Amino acid sequence: MNRAMQLHINKEKVQILDLGGKVNLGGQLHFWEKNDLFPKGIQRCFWITAVPENESRGNHAHWKESQVLVAMHGVIQVEVHQPGQQAQSFTLDQPGKGLFVPPMHWVKTSFSTDAVLLGMSDREFSESDYIRDLAYFESLGSG
């Protein structure tokens, strides 16, 4: 994605991003240079592997943290919603695509048996930034 296209990303909307990359006979190289989303750079990376069948991950929201989620391998189903809103569903199945998730969006992920999820965050880990109670999260939309 060129720099001009990056400037049109809505930082408050959940959306699929095309990550940079080069594909040739020697393989695939993917990279991320979206400084407009994370102006201070990526502050934390995490990866999730070996999730048992029928088990979900995530099941929380963040007060301030934004993330980009990438399926490095396999298929990851992501459900995202704001308080009191209908959930949106996304399928991550290509390492050259990422899902941008801004703050105040509840995220639930389901994994294929071989899936590997990479998460990149604009903030360091802080337990106080997590909202882990779905009922409380939903109540935030009624005020």
Side-chain angles (χ1 to χ4, degrees), residues 2 5 10 19 23 38 48 50 64 67 76 81 87 99 113 123 127 141:
N2 67 36
M5 291 177 72
N10 182 340
L19 304 176
V23 177
F38 292 1
I48 300 171
K64 296 180 181 179
Q67 298 179 338
I76 300 167
H81 76 278
L99 180 66
T113 56
R123 296 178 177 270
E127 184 60 38

Side-chain angles (χ1 to χ4, degrees), residues 108-122:
K108 176 182 176 183
T109 56
S110 302
F111 291 62
S112 65
T113 56
D114 59 347
V116 176
L117 177 121
L118 171 66
M120 298 171 281
S121 303
D122 66 344

Side-chain angles (χ1 to χ4, degrees), residues 84-133:
Q85 304 262 333
Q86 187 78 6
Q88 294 177 275
S89 295
F90 298 89
T91 301
L92 300 177
D93 59 2
Q94 301 174 41
K97 301 240 182 230
L99 180 66
F100 174 68
V101 181
M104 293 304 296
H105 285 78
W106 190 267
V107 176
K108 176 182 176 183
T109 56
S110 302
F111 291 62
S112 65
T113 56
D114 59 347
V116 176
L117 177 121
L118 171 66
M120 298 171 281
S121 303
D122 66 344
R123 296 178 177 270
E124 293 181 11
F125 176 83
S126 171
E127 184 60 38
S128 65
D129 190 54
Y130 281 75
I131 305 169
R132 298 186 187 275
D133 181 329

Side-chain angles (χ1 to χ4, degrees), residues 16-123:
I16 296 285
L17 305 174
D18 283 318
L19 304 176
K22 303 252 187 251
V23 177
N24 61 36
L25 295 176
Q28 299 181 18
L29 166 68
H30 298 286
F31 51 89
W32 186 37
E33 296 178 337
K34 303 215 179 323
N35 295 333
D36 52 327
L37 281 179
F38 292 1
K40 294 181 181 177
I42 297 168
Q43 299 299 306
R44 178 171 64 101
C45 288
F46 59 91
W47 45 97
I48 300 171
T49 63
V51 176
E53 189 174 343
N54 300 318
E55 184 75 24
S56 66
R57 295 289 312 218
N59 301 305
H60 65 264
H62 291 278
W63 289 105
K64 296 180 181 179
E65 182 177 304
S66 295
Q67 298 179 338
V68 173
L69 305 176
V70 180
M72 300 304 291
H73 191 264
V75 179
I76 300 167
Q77 299 294 333
V78 185
E79 288 185 17
V80 184
H81 76 278
Q82 291 182 290
Q85 304 262 333
Q86 187 78 6
Q88 294 177 275
S89 295
F90 298 89
T91 301
L92 300 177
D93 59 2
Q94 301 174 41
K97 301 240 182 230
L99 180 66
F100 174 68
V101 181
M104 293 304 296
H105 285 78
W106 190 267
V107 176
K108 176 182 176 183
T109 56
S110 302
F111 291 62
S112 65
T113 56
D114 59 347
V116 176
L117 177 121
L118 171 66
M120 298 171 281
S121 303
D122 66 344
R123 296 178 177 270

